[in-house]
């Protein structure tokens, strides 16, 4: 295969030996790929800070047709994901969103929607200061939506009636249903949070953060966690760490 130059969002890097990393990238032209970045670690490393989560880069991939592991050529940083003042909540959100996207993206399938979602989440984190929590909830909702895994917030999948209260989880069919079809015990989303999501998910992540400012998004985090874990069969590595760090540092006043 001739070398392929493409724009990409960095999802993650994993150390490889003393000096290198494997970078997981969401590329514009090939979707999610893995590529070895030789000399990315150690003194004077050649990729500098361009391999941070959700930074946007232009790079060249080398490898045979059908390879599962490319070699990364030069990397040009198009847009750093670095939030203003290295805000901790935003840095954690970048890491979390990148892990979330990676977990849901199949290898080597172009996904412009996911790419745009990633970019717009970075924009929100750069514009809005401490909007990390809101951006994570937004990224979860839209990742689930893009993969056809988000339940309707307006009509029940079981009885086809408009939903007026909250949503419950039907464990038999692993799906969200209205409060008439489910039992209160299994409620995963209260009525207010459902109404908020219905109106706010159409906004950009930046305006979603503005719209939800001062609102406790914990019920939405719980709702999304049920959906994510029921699909992946596991929790995301960074989710637990982040929730505990944020509880300590950005306690609502
Ligand atoms: Zn129903």
């Amino acid at each position: 295969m001739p070398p392929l130059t493409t724009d990409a969002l960095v999802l993650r890097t994993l150390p490889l030996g003393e000096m290198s990393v494997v970078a997981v990238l969401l590329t514009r032209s090939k979707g999610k790929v893995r590529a070895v970045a030789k000399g990315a670690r150690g003194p004077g490393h050649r990729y500098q800070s361009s391999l941070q989560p959700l930074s946007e880069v232009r790079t060249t991939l080398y490898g045979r047709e059908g390879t599962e592991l490319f070699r990364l050529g030069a990397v040009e940083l198009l847009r750093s994901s670095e939030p203003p003042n290295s805000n901790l909540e935003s840095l954690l959100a970048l890491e979390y969103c990148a892990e979330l996207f990676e977990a849901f993206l199949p290898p080597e399938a172009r996904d412009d929607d996911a790419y745009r979602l990633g970019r717009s989440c970075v924009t929100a984190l750069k514009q809005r200061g401490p909007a990390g929590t809101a951006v994570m909830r937004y990224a979860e909702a839209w990742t689930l939506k893009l993969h056809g895994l988000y339940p309707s917030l307006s009509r029940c999948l079981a009885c086809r009636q408009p939903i007026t209260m909250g949503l419950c989880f039907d464990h038999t069919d692993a799906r969200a249903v209205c409060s008439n079809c489910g039992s209160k015990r299994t409620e995963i989303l209260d009525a207010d949070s459902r109404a908020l999501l219905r109106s706010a998910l159409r906004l950009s992540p930046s305006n979603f953060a503005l719209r939800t400012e001062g609102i406790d998004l914990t019920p939405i985090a719980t709702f999304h966690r049920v959906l994510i874990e029921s699909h992946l069969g596991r929790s995301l590595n960074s989710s637990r760490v982040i929730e505990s760090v944020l509880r300590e540092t950005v306690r609502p006043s």
Side-chain angles (χ1 to χ4, degrees):
M1 187 185 100
L4 172 75
T5 299
T6 178
D7 292 356
L9 291 177
V10 178
L11 296 176
R12 186 160 63 121
T13 56
L14 308 148
L16 179 71
E18 299 268 297
M19 305 291 281
S20 302
V21 299
V22 172
V24 185
L25 306 170
L26 171 55
T27 64
R28 271 271 195 218
S29 37
K30 267 186 108 55
K32 184 175 80 174
V33 303
R34 296 159 80 88
V36 175
K38 284 193 175 154
R41 300 167 74 210
H45 59 87
R46 75 184 262 231
Y47 294 98
Q48 304 296 333
S49 58
S50 49
L51 295 178
Q52 297 306 311
L54 297 191
S55 279
E56 190 176 24
V57 297
R58 181 164 298 154
T59 187
T60 305
L61 301 171
Y62 298 87
R64 292 204 190 114
E65 194 66 51
T67 185
E68 285 179 9
L69 191 60
F70 292 90
R71 185 169 63 76
L72 202 64
V75 169
E76 177 196 346
L77 183 62
L78 299 179
R79 193 168 75 137
S80 162
S81 59
E82 178 78 29
N85 310 319
S86 300
N87 177 275
L88 174 67
E89 187 187 345
S90 301
L91 288 170
L92 292 168
L94 285 168
E95 194 131 333
Y96 177 76
C97 292
E99 187 193 354
L100 174 76
F101 300 148
E102 186 192 350
F104 278 85
L105 286 164
E108 299 203 21
R110 267 189 68 158
D111 193 332
D112 283 338
D113 291 330
Y115 197 97
R116 275 196 294 273
L117 174 61
R119 284 193 96 250
S120 64
C121 287
V122 172
T123 303
L125 291 170
K126 294 182 96 142
Q127 280 177 354
R128 285 261 170 260
T133 304
V135 170
M136 287 190 281
R137 301 298 80 87
Y138 186 93
E140 289 164 346
W142 277 99
T143 298
L144 289 159
K145 268 176 186 282
L146 292 177
H147 290 87
L149 299 165
Y150 209 62
S152 166
L153 297 172
S154 56
R155 195 167 284 278
C156 174
L157 279 175
C159 67
R160 301 275 151 200
Q161 295 303 307
I163 299 169
T164 52
M165 303 299 285
L167 280 175
C168 299
F169 197 69
D170 171 1
H171 286 275
T172 317
D173 293 324
R175 63 180 180 175
V177 294
C178 77
S179 49
N180 292 326
C181 294
S183 70
K184 181 77 186 163
R185 268 185 308 114
T186 62
E187 185 177 89
I188 49 172
L189 188 69
D190 62 274
D192 289 347
S193 302
R194 184 185 64 84
L196 174 65
L197 284 174
R198 261 198 90 183
S199 66
L201 280 182
R202 280 174 235 153
L203 305 171
S204 69
S206 205
N207 287 332
F208 179 84
L210 194 63
R211 168 77 177 78
T212 58
E213 214 167 63
I215 298 175
D216 179 15
L217 298 178
T218 313
I220 293 175
T222 308
F223 170 53
H224 289 166
R225 192 176 309 132
V226 171
L227 298 173
I228 288 169
E229 292 179 8
S230 106
H231 177 71
L232 296 178
R234 64 178 174 89
S235 58
L236 293 169
N237 296 327
S238 42
S239 62
R240 236 169 284 247
V241 183
I242 288 170
E243 294 307 327
S244 66
V245 172
L246 291 184
R247 255 198 304 278
E248 293 308 312
T249 55
V250 287
R251 218 182 278 276
S253 50

